[in-house]
Amino acid sequence: MKFTLLLPVVLLTATMNSYGQLAVTPENIVIHPGATLAVKDTALRIKVREWCTQQMNATTWKNVPAHPSSVYFPGPVKAGATPVTRTIHLQHKKIPGSYMPALSRLEFSSALTTWNLYSTGLYAPAGQVITIELPAALKHRHIEVQVGCHTDYLGYWMAWEEDWRRMPYVVKRVALDNATIKLTSRFGGLIYISANPVDTAWEADFKISGAIESPLFVLGKTTKAEWQEQLKNNKAPWGELMSDKMILSLPDSVLQKVQHPDSIMNLWNLIVGGEMELAQLPEQAYRPQRMVIDEHIAGGALHAGYPIMAHHSPSTGQLTADVMINPGQLLVPSKGGANWGFFHEIGHNMQNIDWVFGGTTEVSCNFFSLYMFDRLVGGRDGAHPGISNENTTLLMQQYFKNGAKYEAWQQEPFLGLIMFRQLQEAFGWEAFKTFFRRYQAFARKDPDGNYAKKEEDKRDLWAKTFSEVTGRNMAPFFEAWGIPISSGVKTELSHLPGWMPYNFPPRHSY
């Protein structure tokens, strides 16, 4: 049997309005960049949002048609696509106990709470039934199948205040709680097996029928000839590039440009490996980072998490994926462009919540952006306008002219970054690595994190720990920036020699 592009018949049965026109419903609405669902259409947006949630959580698999919007996103399978039956061997490794204290503090990457996704190299066409045979040994082991990589929900956050360029929820998850599971997705998508990262390890074969093959490059396993053959024969709208540290989920239109996937993924290994090295995380990642290209994401041009989500929308001029697959562009200063953004979002996934105090969520992730420019790009020139000499001078001039106030410091991330740049320039990256290791030791000693529950505790612990690492009293430096430090910590650090950058606070009028 071959799949054909099914035009959604749901339109033929839709209700009519009082004028005899076809009424727009969640079942028949078509949303794409050329036909967005506007913010002002609140009532319809709420109905569409609720319908999507209900449909994608439903276990019904019979007579489930493709949604009309699926032709636009995630997109249709190509003509001539043939269903296959494949046995996919997968291995789930439980996180080693020694990793747990450090990973438990990585709040932005949801390291212990977001389930691992294991790629199958298969794609479920919209409206088509797929069958998964679960190994008997894994029954009742809390394993799921997920169809679709585009997990962002547009029904909240920034996307709720934007015209939707796709349906708000297009991923389907079903528990694998029987020996055989059948499911149908109205939107289609890449097929994954999903498992809790803290569950017991397993290794097994999954038999999947009714899907089509999708491109999957695995660094160190897939040959260049095999990759070219996959691209030549591909009928799926999405596929992936995979290494042990990063997985990129990309549309076919982008994948067809990839001639040297090994070079791309070796570079991504360097990027992720470098950020892990700064964070002093175990060199062997317990799971790769994931980055997914999407027409419309929940917020921003990119955002952190598992997966990291990135806008790639030719209709709006956002061509993020073109940089993602181009090693040359990844290593060229972008003045705050895509590579700074990639480094920044991976940096969020490396942030230990214990050393992220008020106002530094969008600051301390940029430690990792700076490190990548220092170690991979060759320097910070052109990295981002926010760290330019001109902007640094302007921000400091304005801030200290108005009186150093913590409330103001918290509102401007690149102002906040100046303070940490001063520390890095004075004491080097090795001091930061030692500092990060100290925090991992805190977590090992107290897994509940009682040492940094309150904001004032986090500020105090930052100043105290960095002082201990460097052998210099950082309390006066923090206070010069307007950041409050408790009298107890100031007394505790008073035996150490003080430290202050030259001409700081700045006395020159510029």
Side-chain angles (χ1 to χ4, degrees):
M1 182 178 91
K2 289 191 175 182
F3 290 125
T4 56
L5 183 58
L6 299 178
L7 295 177
V9 296
V10 69
L11 293 173
L12 303 178
T13 60
T15 59
M16 309 295 285
N17 64 22
S18 58
Y19 298 99
Q21 298 171 327
L22 191 65
V24 177
T25 67
E27 292 90 343
N28 68 21
I29 190 170
V30 176
I31 303 175
H32 60 80
T36 59
L37 182 53
V39 171
K40 64 181 181 180
D41 295 327
T42 306
L44 180 57
R45 283 162 68 99
I46 291 173
K47 290 180 181 178
V48 171
R49 179 179 66 183
E50 292 175 350
W51 180 87
C52 279
T53 302
Q54 293 168 359
Q55 289 297 314
M56 301 315 285
N57 291 329
T59 57
T60 304
W61 56 270
K62 292 182 179 180
N63 302 316
V64 178
H67 192 276
S69 292
S70 68
V71 175
Y72 298 95
F73 192 87
V77 299
K78 297 177 185 178
T82 303
V84 298
T85 296
R86 293 287 183 267
T87 298
I88 308 298
H89 185 79
L90 298 175
Q91 183 179 15
H92 170 67
K93 295 181 179 180
K94 183 179 179 179
I95 299 174
S98 59
Y99 286 23
M100 293 292 285
L103 295 180
S104 70
R105 316 311 295 162
L106 304 185
E107 183 171 291
F108 298 111
S109 67
S110 304
L112 304 184
T113 56
T114 303
W115 285 24
N116 294 0
L117 293 176
Y118 296 105
S119 301
T120 64
L122 295 172
Y123 190 93
Q128 302 290 347
V129 180
I130 64 168
T131 303
I132 301 175
E133 296 182 29
L134 180 69
L138 296 186
K139 192 175 180 180
H140 306 305
R141 288 289 298 273
H142 306 293
I143 297 172
E144 294 183 346
V145 58
Q146 176 175 308
V147 175
C149 58
H150 301 96
T151 53
D152 263 20
Y153 175 53
L154 307 187
Y156 82 124
W157 198 23
M158 297 181 187
W160 184 247
E161 303 300 326
E162 300 168 343
D163 296 345
W164 289 342
R165 300 194 304 276
R166 66 161 170 87
M167 290 288 280
Y169 190 42
V170 297
V171 168
K172 188 172 187 67
R173 296 184 182 93
V174 175
L176 293 177
D177 50 10
N178 292 311
T180 301
I181 296 291
K182 292 182 181 293
L183 66 91
T184 308
S185 167
R186 289 183 179 269
F187 297 95
L190 292 169
I191 300 172
Y192 304 94
I193 301 300
S194 180
N196 191 318
V198 300
D199 277 355
T200 306
W202 50 258
E203 187 170 358
D205 292 331
F206 294 79
K207 187 176 180 180
I208 303 177
S209 305
I212 66 171
E213 294 180 312
S214 62
L216 177 61
F217 174 85
V218 181
L219 185 64
K221 180 179 179 181
T222 309
T223 68
K224 184 175 181 180
E226 289 171 338
W227 175 245
Q228 293 298 332
E229 192 68 14
Q230 287 188 52
L231 292 184
K232 178 182 176 181
N233 297 322
N234 181 40
K235 304 296 183 183
W238 290 82
E240 295 185 320
L241 305 176
M242 177 189 297
S243 72
D244 64 338
K245 290 186 173 63
M246 176 61 86
I247 301 173
L248 306 177
S249 301
L250 299 162
D252 176 68
S253 59
V254 173
L255 290 172
Q256 292 294 336
K257 303 175 186 177
V258 175
Q259 300 302 308
H260 302 285
D262 52 342
S263 298
I264 295 170
M265 298 317 296
N266 276 318
L267 178 53
W268 278 107
N269 268 3
L270 275 175
I271 293 169
V272 176
E275 299 208 17
M276 291 174 65
E277 194 261 346
L278 175 59
Q280 291 294 280
L281 293 173
E283 182 178 352
Q284 183 59 47
Y286 81 101
R287 68 181 179 192
Q289 300 284 320
R290 281 186 173 273
M291 190 177 298
V292 174
I293 291 299
D294 200 330
E295 172 63 43
H296 197 165
I297 67 175
L302 302 99
H303 71 71
Y306 181 78
I308 297 167
M309 298 300 298
H311 263 131
H312 179 79
S313 175
S315 66
T316 61
Q318 298 181 88
L319 304 177
T320 310
D322 290 350
V323 178
M324 192 182 296
I325 63 166
N326 188 329
Q329 289 190 47
L330 274 168
L331 295 182
V332 172
S334 61
K335 298 182 179 179
N339 57 1
W340 176 277
F342 296 145
F343 303 157
H344 172 103
E345 300 305 341
I346 298 171
H348 273 306
N349 283 359
M350 302 292 160
Q351 283 175 309
N352 182 321
I353 195 63
D354 296 332
W355 44 256
V356 179
F357 62 86
T360 66
T361 299
E362 296 298 330
V363 175
S364 55
C365 61
N366 283 329
F367 299 170
F368 301 89
S369 298
L370 294 176
Y371 191 68
M372 287 298 96
F373 274 91
D374 284 355
R375 295 294 181 260
L376 277 184
V377 180
R380 303 177 186 180
D381 289 349
H384 196 292
I387 64 169
S388 67
N389 291 343
E390 180 181 15
N391 196 56
T392 298
T393 299
L394 178 63
L395 288 173
M396 292 184 69
Q397 181 183 38
Q398 292 175 340
Y399 180 66
F400 288 101
K401 179 180 179 180
N402 295 327
K405 297 180 176 62
Y406 183 44
E407 295 78 10
W409 184 88
Q410 294 179 81
Q411 300 305 310
E412 174 46 67
F414 284 105
L415 174 68
L417 189 59
I418 295 171
M419 173 183 140
F420 297 104
R421 285 165 54 197
Q422 289 175 320
L423 293 174
Q424 189 278 320
E425 289 161 6
F427 300 101
W429 286 120
E430 294 307 312
F432 276 73
K433 294 173 188 177
T434 302
F435 173 83
F436 295 150
R437 290 196 299 273
R438 294 283 181 95
Y439 273 76
Q440 292 173 19
F442 297 152
R444 285 193 295 273
K445 186 176 181 180
D446 180 5
D448 293 329
N450 294 307
Y451 49 88
K453 289 289 188 183
K454 300 178 182 178
E455 281 299 312
E456 53 265 38
D457 295 338
K458 291 187 177 185
R459 295 194 302 266
D460 279 353
L461 192 59
W462 228 110
K464 179 182 176 182
T465 304
F466 206 83
S467 296
E468 292 171 346
V469 167
T470 60
R472 306 295 291 272
N473 182 0
M474 293 294 156
F477 173 67
F478 271 65
E479 290 194 317
W481 270 106
I483 298 173
I485 300 298
S486 71
S487 58
V489 166
K490 286 190 286 187
T491 299
E492 190 175 352
L493 296 177
S494 61
H495 71 285
L496 293 173
W499 176 80
M500 199 72 70
Y502 180 72
N503 190 34
F504 181 80
R507 290 180 293 275
H508 195 281
S509 62
Y510 298 101

